[in-house]
């Protein structure tokens, strides 16, 4: 019973920390958008004190501001997604515009003209046109969710979608992409270094501290969209000059949504390569699902996703050489013969006479190591051995969003 209570306490603490982190991410997130504009009357004069409300239609979250003396309004740090804009002022007809879709790190301007009339009257505007970015000095492109999920990807590695943003090309991995870090795609943007890029996911840094490449990007079903920018980047990106990639994961809404998936690659479905002696033996299963929805409607939302990847493949035969029984007895004549040296007879030096040596001169440490090596009957000492290429990988993505106040 004590263990159960402790577990509940830990769960509550974790949920509280997630909520706190979510609120902090809201406050400083660079994975958000900004909406601003000016409210005018029909003669072009500024309307001060107009009430401007923006509502995210998927979650019902809303924020309200009042225009200043110049009729200007600004909504910073808005989560990406579809929105409705409403403007009210006594003596004017209400203005309602729907179909506004904010993408990651864009700052569109929507100017509103109010007509004289009663507040109970409404002017409805539907705008599905792309919003124009007019405030950022950087050059960038948003890869939206439709392209994320529809474009074919080898291994469903979303990092490769950065190549769609323009000015991007593959960069030599050199010693950056090794077995010491998660294998990723090395990319050069606008001629910059592969490790000169800033990766941000949901407002937090997403660079691998070992090599400054990116940590794994979420798999397509969990990825909402991302934006790659270069040129004169905003100061908030700070420390990398080549490019900034701003990633946003999916979030929960007022409706439950999710999916299940499995992708299969199997050698049984493939024809044998014309130049190969037999078909490959690859068995690759990639499976998982997503689920998001409300905890408290219009207030508290969750989203979770998982992708597992299982790869099984008969390893290729590798060739190596180990000491034969004759070599351990000091007889290297077969090893030095033309049969083992491409038709050329060689003469060993350094204590060898007629390609023979006294085994007493062998290092005891080396002989101890030889006992741990596989044995061979080949006179040249050649062996073939496999290397394991099986892998099991799991990738989990989770987030919680909470709106403290409007």
């Amino acid at each position: 019973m004590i263990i159960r209570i402790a577990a509940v306490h830990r769960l509550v603490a974790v949920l509280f920390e997630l909520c706190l982190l979510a609120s902090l991410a809201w406050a400083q997130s660079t994975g958000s958008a900004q909406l601003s504009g000016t409210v005018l009357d029909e003669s072009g004069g500024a309307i001060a004190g107009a009430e401007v409300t923006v509502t995210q239609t998927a979650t019902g979250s809303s924020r309200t501001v009042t225009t200043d003396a110049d009729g200007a309004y600004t909504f910073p740090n808005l989560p990406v997604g579809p929105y409705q804009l409403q403007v009210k002022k006594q003596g004017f007809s209400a203005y309602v515009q729907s179909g506004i879709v904010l993408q990651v790190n864009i700052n569109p301007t929507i100017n509103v003209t109010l007509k004289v009339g009663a507040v109970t009257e409404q002017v409805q505007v539907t705008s599905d046109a792309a919003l124009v970015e007019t405030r950022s000095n950087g050059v960038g492109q948003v890869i939206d969710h439709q392209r994320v999920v529809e474009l074919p990807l080898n291994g469903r590695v979303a990092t490769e979608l950065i190549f769609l943003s323009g000015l991007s090309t593959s960069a030599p991995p050199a010693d950056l992409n090794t077995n010491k870090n998660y294998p990723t795609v090395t990319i050069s943007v606008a001629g910059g270094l592969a490790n000169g890029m800033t990766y941000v996911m949901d407002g937090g840094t997403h660079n691998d501290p070992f090599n400054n490449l990116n940590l794994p990007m979420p798999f397509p079903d969990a990825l909402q969209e991302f934006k790659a920018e270069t040129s004169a980047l905003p100061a908030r990106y700070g420390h990398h000059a080549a490019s900034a990639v701003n990633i946003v994961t999916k979030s929960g809404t007022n409706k439950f949504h999710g999916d299940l998936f499995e992708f299969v690659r199997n050698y049984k479905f493939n024809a044998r390569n014309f130049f190969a002696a037999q078909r490959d033996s690859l068995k690759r299963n990639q499976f998982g699902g997503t689920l998001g929805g409300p905890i408290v409607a219009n207030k508290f939302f969750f989203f979770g996703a998982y992708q597992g990847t299982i790869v099984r493949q008969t390893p290729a035969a590798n060739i190596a050489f180990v000491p034969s029984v004759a070599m351990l007895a000091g007889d290297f004549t077969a090893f030095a013969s033309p049969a083992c040296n491409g038709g050329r007879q060689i003469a060993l030096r350094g204590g060898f006479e007629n390609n023979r040596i006294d085994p007493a001169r062998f290092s005891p440490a080396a002989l101890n190591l030889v006992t741990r090596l596989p044995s061979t009957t080949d006179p040249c000492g050649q062996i073939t051995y496999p290397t394991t290429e099986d892998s099991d990988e799991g990738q989990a993505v989770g987030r919680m969003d909470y709106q403290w106040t409007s």
Side-chain angles (χ1 to χ4, degrees):
M1 187 64 182
I2 296 176
I3 296 177
R4 291 180 181 178
I5 294 175
V8 171
H9 286 174
R10 284 196 298 270
L11 178 60
V12 172
V14 169
L15 290 174
F16 177 77
E17 289 180 6
L18 286 172
C19 295
L20 181 60
L21 289 174
S23 67
L24 293 176
W26 177 290
Q28 58 87 43
S29 172
T30 57
S32 56
Q34 177 174 301
L35 182 63
S36 59
T38 305
V39 179
L40 307 171
D41 59 24
E42 293 179 284
S43 65
I47 299 179
E51 184 181 275
V52 185
T53 301
V54 64
T55 303
Q56 189 179 29
T57 56
T59 63
S61 300
S62 64
R63 292 166 64 182
T64 301
V65 297
T66 302
T67 57
D68 60 18
D70 297 321
Y73 70 90
T74 301
F75 291 99
N77 294 325
L78 291 174
V80 300
Y83 281 86
Q84 181 187 76
L85 179 70
Q86 185 179 57
V87 183
K88 293 181 179 180
K89 175 67 175 179
Q90 190 67 33
F92 294 88
S93 299
Y95 176 94
V96 178
Q97 180 172 339
S98 57
I100 301 171
V101 179
L102 297 183
Q103 295 179 316
V104 55
N105 202 30
I106 69 168
N107 301 286
T109 299
I110 299 181
N111 295 323
V112 175
T113 299
L114 296 183
K115 297 181 178 180
V116 176
V119 178
T120 55
E121 300 174 351
Q122 281 192 354
V123 177
Q124 296 276 353
V125 177
T126 301
S127 175
D128 295 323
L131 300 177
V132 178
E133 171 64 71
T134 60
R135 295 176 178 269
S136 176
N137 294 325
V139 177
Q141 182 177 359
V142 175
I143 306 300
D144 57 29
H145 183 65
Q146 183 175 355
R147 284 189 284 180
V148 168
V149 298
E150 291 184 355
L151 291 174
L153 284 172
N154 184 15
R156 288 164 48 85
V157 179
T159 309
E160 294 186 354
L161 291 172
I162 297 175
F163 292 122
L164 298 178
S165 61
L167 297 176
S168 303
T169 185
S170 179
D175 58 351
L176 295 174
N177 208 5
T178 69
N179 58 1
K180 297 182 179 67
N181 60 280
Y182 187 90
T184 185
V185 183
T186 49
I187 301 172
S188 173
V189 177
L193 298 174
N195 60 345
M197 298 173 60
T198 295
Y199 290 88
V200 178
M201 188 172 79
D202 289 336
T205 182
H206 203 59
N207 284 75
D208 189 331
F210 178 78
N211 54 15
N212 262 337
L213 299 178
N214 63 292
L215 293 169
M217 282 181 65
F219 56 93
D221 296 73
L223 178 60
Q224 177 63 33
E225 61 188 44
F226 68 89
K227 184 178 184 180
E229 296 178 84
T230 186
S231 188
L233 293 174
R236 63 177 171 271
Y237 292 122
H239 50 281
H240 291 132
S243 177
V245 179
N246 211 312
I247 307 162
V248 177
T249 59
K250 282 186 176 179
S251 61
T253 65
N254 275 328
K255 294 182 179 179
F256 287 99
H257 58 87
D259 68 342
L260 296 173
F261 60 85
E262 181 168 11
F263 299 89
V264 178
R265 290 178 61 188
N266 194 293
Y267 73 96
K268 295 181 179 180
F269 306 145
N270 302 333
R272 177 180 61 85
N273 186 294
F274 180 80
F275 299 99
Q278 60 185 10
R279 286 189 297 178
D280 66 76
S281 59
L282 177 64
K283 297 179 181 178
R284 189 174 191 273
N285 292 76
Q286 202 163 43
F287 56 90
T290 67
L291 179 64
I295 298 176
V296 179
N298 299 332
K299 196 77 173 176
F300 195 11
F301 308 92
F302 77 93
F303 177 81
Y306 175 80
Q307 175 180 273
T309 304
I310 298 175
V311 178
R312 296 291 181 266
Q313 188 171 12
T314 301
N318 297 283
I319 297 176
F321 293 86
V322 298
S324 65
V325 175
M327 296 179 202
L328 294 175
D331 184 1
F332 285 78
T333 55
F335 176 77
S337 68
C340 296
N341 296 278
R344 181 173 61 93
Q345 177 69 44
I346 63 173
L348 300 176
R349 300 178 182 179
F352 283 87
E353 294 182 5
N354 297 322
N355 292 323
R356 296 174 183 270
I357 193 171
D358 183 2
R361 303 182 62 179
F362 291 159
S363 165
L367 291 174
N368 186 29
L369 178 62
V370 168
T371 61
R372 290 162 172 78
L373 298 177
S375 60
T376 178
T377 58
D378 183 80
C380 304
Q382 178 177 309
I383 62 169
T384 58
Y385 67 96
T387 55
T388 302
E389 296 183 3
D390 297 344
S391 66
D392 297 285
E393 177 185 298
Q395 186 180 124
V397 178
R399 64 178 285 175
M400 302 177 75
D401 297 91
Y402 185 82
Q403 181 182 358
W404 293 105
T405 67
S406 61

